[in-house]
Amino acid sequence: LGLQIEVNLYATPPQTVGIDAHHDRMDVIILQISGTKRWLICDPIGAARDLPVRSSDTPGHALYNRYQLESLDYSNCKNVTMFTGDLLYLPRGTIHAPATEDSASVHLTVGLLSAYTWQDVAQALLMTQSINRNLYQKLVSCLSQRDLNKLVNSSVVVEDESTLLGAFLQLPFASDCAKALAKLRSCKHCSNATAALMLDVKRKRDAESPSAKFSV
């Protein structure tokens, strides 16, 4: 799948709130190692609906990812208790709040990240001067933020010179974007330069990213 993996281990004593209600910027798989933990899980709201790939801890920021419990619509929430050996998948943007009850808990959170989103592809087209800023702004305005935030399989970047651009052109652009798309289709060497830049960015990210984190 061409995904980056980030692993966190959490050890939590009994009767403890692990972290306030929040959403993550990555898909996560949770494996309960020992004990039990209760998870309040709610449907995305606000910016979380856009499959966020970035988040902020600053209140008032457009990408703020923390929530007061009293602000949640509990008709769109459920409680899930995880026991030893249980596995839970939370897509990006899913609001959740874990807490222990009578027993301590140890669980692993496996974060699934792609090196690229379609927003990254559009920015790489601009940075390699494959397109100018006016065309870039038109193209991204013709896509929803949710579509721009969707992950790109890394194999699309390296497969061949036409695959990346062809996949980008298959996104659900707004109908008034026909002229901008025609200009992009006329670019003969956009994919090569863009793919080379994105692969270089991926190598730098991989070198800087730790493979695991441990939290108590």
Side-chain angles (χ1 to χ4, degrees), residues 66-85:
R66 304 300 171 101
Y67 303 85
Q68 297 295 321
L69 291 178
E70 57 270 21
S71 70
L72 298 175
D73 180 0
Y74 281 83
S75 66
N76 294 317
C77 299
K78 60 183 177 182
N79 279 293
V80 175
T81 300
M82 298 279 288
F83 298 91
T84 301

Side-chain angles (χ1 to χ4, degrees), residues 4 20 40 50 77 85 97 110-111 118 141 155 163 182-183 191 194 198 200 214 216:
Q4 295 174 309
D20 293 336
L40 175 68
D50 290 331
C77 299
V110 181
W118 290 114
S141 73
S155 65
T163 300
K183 288 182 180 179
S191 287
T194 302
M198 295 179 72
D200 184 55
F214 300 92
V216 179

